[in-house]
Amino acid sequence: MKKLLAFVVCGMLVGCEYNVQLVKTPELGIDSVAVGLWQRSKEDGQKESLLVLPLNKQEYMVSFPAGSKDAMFARACLCRTADMTLVQLEWIGAAQGGIPENNRVFQFATYSVAGDTITVRMLNADVVKKDVKSTAELAKAIADNKDKPDIFRDKMVFTKVKN
């Protein structure tokens, strides 16, 4: 039951949406400016944290919302498709010990870092449908929709936490 609850939370928080990946083996190096602890204030005044750590030269370990009882963990890597660099997230577990029970563990995002802020936008599954069957079909769906203003969801803006 706890596993189910953890992944219902995953669906609500991060929307584990896709069952196919864009890349099987990471080829791009990590972007070190994205590494660190980032925080934002939610509408209710609560703080929400995003932790991005280097796992190796080509992958990250991501936790969101980091430090919370509902934290989710993902392996992430950069990938290129449709002339865009995206972050491919593969959600692998939860702080309460849950693991994914279905194959909808992939999510994709774009980000930009300016000074001490990182802006993250998740791929919008209402525009790039989540029922794609293959990597090639996902890449084509992204390319076909890349010029739509709502291809990504609303911005999440985090500020880097200083030591």
Side-chain angles (χ1 to χ4, degrees):
M1 184 65 154
K2 286 184 180 182
K3 287 181 187 179
L4 177 62
L5 178 61
F7 284 90
V8 166
V9 169
C10 173
M12 292 181 338
L13 290 176
V14 296
C16 304
E17 295 161 325
Y18 296 91
N19 61 4
V20 298
Q21 57 201 1
L22 283 170
V23 295
K24 290 183 186 209
T25 304
E27 296 176 0
L28 301 175
I30 64 169
D31 181 358
S32 62
V33 299
V35 172
L37 179 61
W38 305 87
Q39 197 169 66
R40 71 177 181 160
S41 293
K42 295 179 4 180
E43 290 179 12
D44 62 4
Q46 296 282 335
K47 299 287 185 188
E48 191 170 63
S49 298
L50 169 67
L51 179 61
V52 181
L53 299 173
L55 188 58
N56 56 49
K57 291 181 180 182
Q58 295 163 316
E59 292 179 287
Y60 305 93
M61 178 61 63
V62 175
S63 178
F64 180 78
S68 78
K69 67 178 179 59
D70 297 321
M72 297 293 302
F73 298 90
R75 287 183 83 119
C77 67
L78 299 177
C79 58
R80 296 274 307 157
T81 191
D83 295 325
M84 294 185 290
T85 300
L86 299 176
V87 178
Q88 173 178 281
L89 295 144
E90 179 181 6
W91 295 98
I92 58 174
Q96 296 178 0
I99 58 171
E101 292 183 358
N102 66 33
N103 59 357
R104 291 202 179 276
V105 296
F106 293 101
Q107 199 170 31
F108 304 92
T110 186
Y111 75 96
S112 62
V113 177
D116 287 341
T117 62
I118 188 168
T119 302
V120 179
R121 295 184 72 199
M122 306 308 293
L123 189 64
N124 186 346
D126 292 331
V127 176
V128 178
K129 301 298 183 198
K130 58 185 173 182
D131 60 353
V132 295
K133 306 280 188 259
S134 69
T135 295
E137 192 177 333
L138 177 58
K140 182 179 181 331
I142 292 170
D144 289 349
N145 291 286
K146 75 177 188 171
D147 295 325
K148 291 186 177 175
D150 59 346
I151 188 171
F152 294 101
R153 293 192 186 124
D154 292 339
K155 297 176 184 178
M156 294 184 290
V157 180
F158 297 84
T159 302
K160 193 156 206 172
V161 175
K162 306 269 189 204
N163 289 341

